[in-house]
Amino acid sequence: MLLSAVYKTRYILPIVGLLLIVACLTPLYAQEDNADIVIDGTPHAPDEIIRIPENSKLAYQIEAPEDTTVTKTAQKHEVFKDIYYIDQSGGNRRILMYMLSDSASNMLHWSEVMFSDKDYAGALTEYRNIAAIEPDFHHIMTLIGDAYFMMEQCDSSIYYFRTAINRNFIDFDAHWFLADALIKTGQPEEAVKEITIAHILNVYHEDIYKIMKQFRDNVGRPWKEWSFDPVYQLNEEGGTVHVRVREPWIGYAMVKAIWKYEPGYAEQMGIENHSDSAVYATEESEAILSYFAQNPGDDNLKRIISDGFLEEFIKYEIALRKLPRTGMLFSEAEFRRMIEYLDKYH
């Protein structure tokens, strides 16, 4: 019903070619604990979305934020310290933490004490004993590799780090420590790859992030620091959807408002029980294209979309930032694409 004039006049740039690219995206749905792949609808172009508020029973009111403290979209700056694994029993993929027996936990405690005291040989013996009684605790291979690394036996350390990764790809410590060992053995490009995987698995881990940037500097590919941080607030009251937003986020925020409040829209797009604690590929695609329609001078985003990396943009810049555990559910093929995305645009 009600539509802001500035939104109307600046929102109707057709992007047919970009829409065709977006239509090929793999749908992504990520919840707080785990993620599943669902089929949602084909994204609408900005000139199609413009007609939804015009014909709605709701009134959409674009307003300036009430104060200057309007915040970015909510993000959980979660740093993982424990090691997880993927359980695929029952046909579902779940992120779980391995639970050691009491005896193995006690052994691990004392082995870590020995490691802290620089008794690496003693720690290594205890790690091997743990491996014997807890064969499914694959992170012990990482700890064995770390002991060898501290004993300056890099070939052995690399072997055990790779063994840990082969058994549990989402062990971020294994990728991180392998990167250190690869640097020490003169393999900087492989090290960049491994530390980047560790970063994707634990995106808010500051030490991993700093090391990744350092390793990229070493190979002449310095990290380009930028982020995609939409700023807006939404609420509905008495049949009026209030969209509190400033430039350049009007188009993005309007799509978010439609997905959240427009009766039947999310369901039409294949999403039942739409949730703010989830990330949907089609919703983000529509919002990003609407943002780009208003901001065609964003050359970085234009290049990303034109090169066919919008899916990776959504995964890294949005899904991982909002729900860091999402990275643990990526396939190895997705990791390869993510590394390529980061190499090209960051």
Side-chain angles (χ1 to χ4, degrees):
M1 292 170 63
L2 182 62
L3 193 62
S4 161
V6 65
Y7 176 75
K8 222 174 193 179
T9 57
R10 297 193 60 195
Y11 190 63
I12 57 175
L13 176 68
I15 325 178
V16 176
L18 299 183
L19 189 65
L20 290 174
I21 293 171
V22 176
C24 297
L25 287 177
T26 301
L28 173 70
Y29 174 80
Q31 292 184 327
E32 186 168 337
D33 295 322
N34 293 288
D36 298 300
I37 300 300
V38 300
I39 304 300
D40 45 2
T42 301
H44 292 101
D47 58 343
E48 295 176 306
I49 295 174
I50 186 70
R51 294 192 289 271
I52 295 169
E54 291 178 337
N55 300 314
S56 176
K57 295 179 180 179
L58 298 174
Y60 288 77
Q61 180 65 54
I62 295 177
E63 306 164 357
E66 294 175 348
D67 55 53
T68 58
T69 62
V70 57
T71 58
K72 301 175 184 177
T73 30
Q75 295 175 349
K76 290 183 64 177
H77 290 247
E78 187 175 10
V79 178
F80 304 118
K81 297 179 181 178
D82 297 311
I83 302 299
Y84 297 87
Y85 71 98
I86 300 298
D87 174 70
Q88 302 192 66
S89 60
N92 295 318
R93 302 176 75 233
R94 298 182 299 158
I95 301 168
L96 299 178
M97 186 171 65
Y98 190 83
M99 303 302 293
L100 286 172
S101 64
D102 290 343
S103 60
S105 294
N106 187 55
M107 292 168 65
L108 182 61
H109 167 74
W110 288 111
S111 63
E112 294 295 88
V113 170
M114 286 186 276
F115 192 96
S116 297
D117 290 341
K118 300 185 179 180
D119 180 7
Y120 304 121
L124 179 60
T125 298
E126 283 300 292
Y127 292 152
R128 289 189 179 281
N129 291 336
I130 295 169
I133 65 172
E134 296 277 356
D136 293 330
F137 181 49
H138 302 312
H139 182 61
I140 202 67
M141 298 292 110
T142 303
L143 300 181
I144 291 172
D146 201 21
Y148 275 120
F149 181 81
M150 298 306 295
M151 295 164 67
E152 299 188 354
Q153 297 182 36
C154 284
D155 288 345
S156 293
S157 73
I158 288 172
Y159 170 81
Y160 280 99
F161 293 145
R162 291 199 187 280
T163 299
I165 290 167
N166 288 337
R167 295 182 181 183
N168 180 23
F169 189 82
I170 68 171
D171 184 340
F172 59 86
D173 274 350
H175 292 282
W176 176 6
F177 299 167
L178 175 58
D180 286 339
L182 291 168
I183 284 289
K184 198 165 184 178
T185 55
Q187 302 174 72
E189 287 290 350
E190 279 295 304
V192 168
K193 171 189 166 186
E194 294 298 333
I195 196 66
T196 303
I197 293 172
H199 169 63
I200 294 167
L201 288 167
N202 205 347
V203 72
Y204 288 117
H205 195 296
E206 291 187 4
D207 288 340
I208 292 175
Y209 184 58
K210 290 176 183 176
I211 293 168
M212 180 184 68
K213 292 195 292 183
Q214 176 188 330
F215 286 4
R216 286 178 176 271
D217 283 343
N218 292 345
V219 297
R221 293 201 308 276
W223 181 261
K224 295 181 282 293
E225 195 73 60
W226 60 271
S227 59
F228 186 78
D229 297 314
V231 181
Y232 61 92
Q233 291 175 333
L234 306 174
N235 76 290
E236 187 271 332
E237 187 176 4
T240 298
V241 177
H242 299 275
V243 184
R244 296 182 175 89
V245 62
R246 293 190 179 92
E247 297 281 9
W249 302 111
I250 293 174
Y252 187 95
M254 279 298 299
V255 171
K256 288 292 185 174
I258 289 168
W259 273 79
K260 185 171 184 176
Y261 295 113
E262 185 62 27
Y265 187 78
E267 291 78 6
Q268 171 196 329
M269 300 301 290
I271 301 299
E272 300 291 336
N273 302 315
H274 179 275
S275 170
D276 287 343
S277 63
V279 175
Y280 305 94
T282 304
E283 178 183 4
E284 292 300 335
S285 299
E286 289 186 349
I288 291 164
L289 289 185
S290 296
Y291 161 82
F292 187 66
Q294 284 194 294
N295 301 275
D298 189 332
D299 291 335
N300 191 46
L301 183 57
K302 181 178 181 180
R303 182 167 157 247
I304 288 168
I305 297 172
S306 298
D307 290 349
F309 282 93
L310 183 55
E311 181 176 356
E312 288 68 33
F313 175 92
I314 292 171
K315 287 175 179 176
Y316 182 79
E317 312 297 345
I318 298 172
L320 277 179
R321 300 298 172 177
K322 185 175 181 179
L323 302 164
R325 294 187 189 208
T326 302
M328 297 183 187
L329 291 161
F330 292 161
S331 68
E332 292 188 38
E334 288 176 296
F335 273 100
R336 288 193 291 271
R337 283 283 293 180
M338 291 291 287
I339 293 168
E340 187 178 357
Y341 168 82
L342 295 175
D343 282 347
K344 288 171 71 74
Y345 308 109
H346 270 286

